[in-house]
Amino acid sequence: MIRPVQTLRSTSRFLISVAALLSTLSLYGQKRMAVAEDTVKVSLFRGFAVSVDLAGAIQKAVSDYGQYEAALRINLRDKYFPIVEAGIGKADHDDAVSKISYSSSAPYFRIGVDFNMMKQKHDVNRIYVGVRYGFSSFKYDVHHPGVKDPIWKDISAYDVDDVSCNYHWAELVAGVDAKIWGPFHLGWSARYRRRISYDNGPLGNVWYVPGYGKAGNTRMGGTFNVTIDI
């Protein structure tokens, strides 16, 4: 004769076994779906995007220097984003104390890659970190109204044009990118720049470097981007 307690225990063990089996199959199915999404449904090339930086243009409008910049970014599996950035940096600075004026206008280039840090890689919004290598070969002009000779009363002006220089630097980048409507995105980035190698030309330290900012060993910067996915 089968006792009720034994029957209950046997039934409970059976249900627990079935529940464990179903749970295992469910987890296995979810993993298979995740693997399928990453390896089958998501192709290597996911498109590309073009963007323009508004921060540099605004900076040029309200200060002595700034830049006009555009970028091309390639999307690989929604994880890796090789990028090329190019622009024109401009400076027109007049020192109120020394009376020296400085002007420059030249192109610059950066190349690098961004990494999507979001857990859900295929989300339309992204948080990313990245690296850049930047380079600019440029020329600048320096002018001074001149100093009056105390004896002969002549004024000797100081004018130097087309002083050749170049800068190489690296950047660490962190930023966000958010979808606004359709293919349009808005985003910003913060950047830490460090000079790698440079040639300031025969006159010594330059005042401004296109794409880098005011000359120096390190420099903080940022961008505010309007992006279109294509």
Side-chain angles (χ1 to χ4, degrees):
M1 181 177 182
I2 301 176
R3 296 180 181 179
V5 175
Q6 292 178 342
T7 302
L8 180 60
R9 288 178 179 174
S10 299
T11 303
S12 299
R13 291 173 182 171
F14 175 74
L15 292 176
I16 291 172
S17 300
V18 172
L21 178 60
L22 292 176
S23 177
T24 301
L25 291 175
S26 177
L27 291 174
Y28 179 73
Q30 290 177 7
K31 290 181 180 179
R32 289 292 300 273
M33 290 177 64
V35 171
E37 181 182 5
D38 287 337
T39 61
V40 178
K41 294 182 181 179
V42 179
S43 59
L44 174 64
F45 179 70
R46 298 278 289 166
F48 61 93
V50 293
S51 64
V52 293
D53 170 37
L54 300 183
I58 294 173
Q59 184 180 35
K60 182 63 182 72
V62 301
S63 70
D64 293 344
Y65 67 94
Q67 59 272 340
Y68 305 100
E69 178 179 308
L72 173 66
R73 174 185 280 125
I74 299 173
N75 183 345
L76 302 179
R77 297 196 189 281
D78 293 330
K79 297 179 181 180
Y80 313 106
F81 298 84
I83 186 169
V84 176
E85 300 169 335
I88 297 177
K90 293 178 175 288
D92 293 288
H93 174 67
D94 294 309
D95 191 283
V97 177
S98 66
K99 306 299 182 182
I100 294 177
S101 64
Y102 176 98
S103 61
S104 178
S105 178
Y108 62 90
F109 306 92
R110 303 191 203 99
I111 186 170
V113 62
D114 291 332
F115 305 91
N116 187 0
M117 303 302 292
M118 293 281 285
K119 184 176 181 180
Q120 300 297 331
K121 301 300 184 186
H122 311 306
D123 198 314
V124 293
N125 303 313
R126 303 186 185 103
I127 299 174
Y128 60 87
V129 296
V131 292
R132 302 283 190 278
Y133 161 75
F135 169 75
S136 180
S137 179
F138 60 100
K139 295 181 179 181
Y140 69 87
D141 303 330
V142 176
H143 300 285
H144 189 277
V147 178
K148 189 173 184 180
D149 188 286
I151 297 177
W152 302 103
K153 307 303 180 182
D154 294 332
I155 296 178
S156 299
Y158 181 80
D159 297 299
V160 180
D161 296 327
D162 295 333
V163 180
S164 297
C165 309
N166 64 72
Y167 249 61
H168 303 255
W169 68 92
E171 298 185 10
L172 296 178
V173 182
V176 298
D177 184 80
K179 182 177 180 178
I180 302 301
W181 174 80
F184 293 94
H185 292 240
L186 291 179
W188 59 265
S189 73
R191 301 180 178 223
Y192 173 78
R193 301 181 176 118
R194 186 169 183 83
R195 187 173 61 190
I196 300 174
S197 65
Y198 62 97
D199 178 5
N200 280 327
L203 299 184
N205 291 334
V206 301
W207 186 78
Y208 167 78
V209 179
Y212 182 88
K214 288 185 178 180
N217 187 39
T218 60
R219 182 77 180 169
M220 293 297 298
T223 63
F224 184 79
N225 302 310
V226 178
T227 304
I228 302 176
D229 281 332
I230 298 176

